[in-house]
Amino acid sequence: RDPESHIGIVPILLELSDLPAPEKKTLRLELERYMRLRLDRRLWMHSSITEFHTEWYREVYRIIGVEDPYRELKCRSAAAADQLLRTVQTDGIRGAMLAAIVANRLDFGVFGDLDPKTKLVLQDFANLENLPLFVDDSEILLSRLKRARKLLYLADNHGEVLFDLAFISEILRINENVTVHLAGKSGPMLNDVT
């Protein structure tokens, strides 16, 4: 990605935060200037885009001095996911897996959509059994889950994790001997589970 696309993320991240409007404006100007200088001097160029963004988020949090500026967004995301999960009908382990895949849309780092209810609605879960997957290795996965002894499950987005937990419950139902380790981020990172 070009440097301007990274700098363009600044107003989106600040809009998602719970910071007061005057602070957002000041921070936007300062962070854009700071990032431009760092990028121009090639002080922030990792070969991996993931490492770049992880370092960038941590630096933003350090600069603004707020432990988790997205706490309110995460609460709204979890409430929306909880409400949906109560009404979504899944059919066994495959249905729970597909629902967790659909729930991945609860990702607010992509376009800056602030309303969890517009990211995911009940109709998104209709006809889960016909959900087209680009690569569908689910039969292999489910077969391995039935005989697994240990499972590392990497959680992603805050609200989405409720669907992940429902999937994990189904895994434990078909294999009560598996030990599940659920992993999240070690510190606050936009809408990610910590």
Side-chain angles (χ1 to χ4, degrees):
R1 291 170 56 172
D2 66 288
E4 291 303 316
S5 68
H6 295 295
I7 293 168
I9 292 173
V10 171
I12 293 171
L13 291 177
L14 289 172
E15 186 57 35
L16 290 168
S17 75
D18 304 328
L19 300 170
E23 267 186 60
K24 286 181 187 182
K25 183 178 179 182
T26 302
L27 283 167
R28 182 181 60 80
L29 295 172
E30 288 301 314
L31 285 169
E32 286 173 352
R33 185 170 72 75
Y34 175 74
M35 283 187 68
R36 191 172 308 285
L37 286 171
R38 299 253 340 197
L39 290 168
D40 287 347
R41 294 177 184 167
R42 298 203 171 274
L43 297 173
W44 235 353
M45 289 292 171
H46 289 287
S47 57
S48 162
I49 194 74
T50 303
E51 287 180 44
F52 175 89
H53 283 148
T54 298
E55 183 179 334
W56 187 86
Y57 279 120
R58 287 184 178 145
E59 185 72 0
V60 168
Y61 287 12
R62 187 189 65 75
I63 290 169
I64 65 178
V66 176
E67 183 180 333
D68 188 355
Y70 306 105
R71 188 179 312 261
E72 178 58 32
L73 175 65
K74 290 175 183 176
C75 288
R76 291 197 327 263
S77 178
D82 183 51
Q83 185 177 10
L84 277 169
L85 191 56
R86 292 172 194 264
T87 56
V88 168
Q89 298 295 318
T90 61
D91 185 21
I93 190 164
R94 181 171 168 76
M97 176 193 71
L98 293 171
I101 290 170
V102 171
N104 190 51
R105 290 185 53 203
L106 283 170
D107 187 346
F108 298 88
V110 182
F111 298 112
D113 185 353
L114 299 177
D115 186 1
K117 291 182 179 176
T118 64
K119 299 286 282 186
L120 202 60
V121 293
L122 187 57
Q123 290 78 12
D124 293 326
F125 296 93
N127 275 334
L128 282 176
E129 65 279 357
N130 296 320
L131 181 69
L133 299 176
F134 184 70
V135 175
D136 187 354
D137 289 332
S138 58
E139 291 304 317
I140 296 168
L141 172 65
L142 298 178
S143 171
R144 289 182 181 176
L145 288 174
K146 288 178 182 175
R147 49 181 209 276
R149 293 289 165 241
K150 291 183 183 180
L151 171 65
L152 173 62
Y153 197 105
L154 303 177
D156 189 13
N157 305 315
H158 192 76
E160 174 196 347
V161 76
L162 298 178
F163 286 86
D164 294 333
L165 291 172
F167 179 39
I168 290 170
S169 291
E170 285 294 321
I171 293 168
L172 292 169
R173 190 182 60 74
I174 66 163
N175 182 351
E176 60 188 29
N177 297 315
V178 66
T179 301
V180 179
H181 300 274
L182 180 65
K185 292 278 193 290
S186 61
M189 188 75 66
L190 192 54
N191 59 316
D192 292 350
V193 171
T194 58

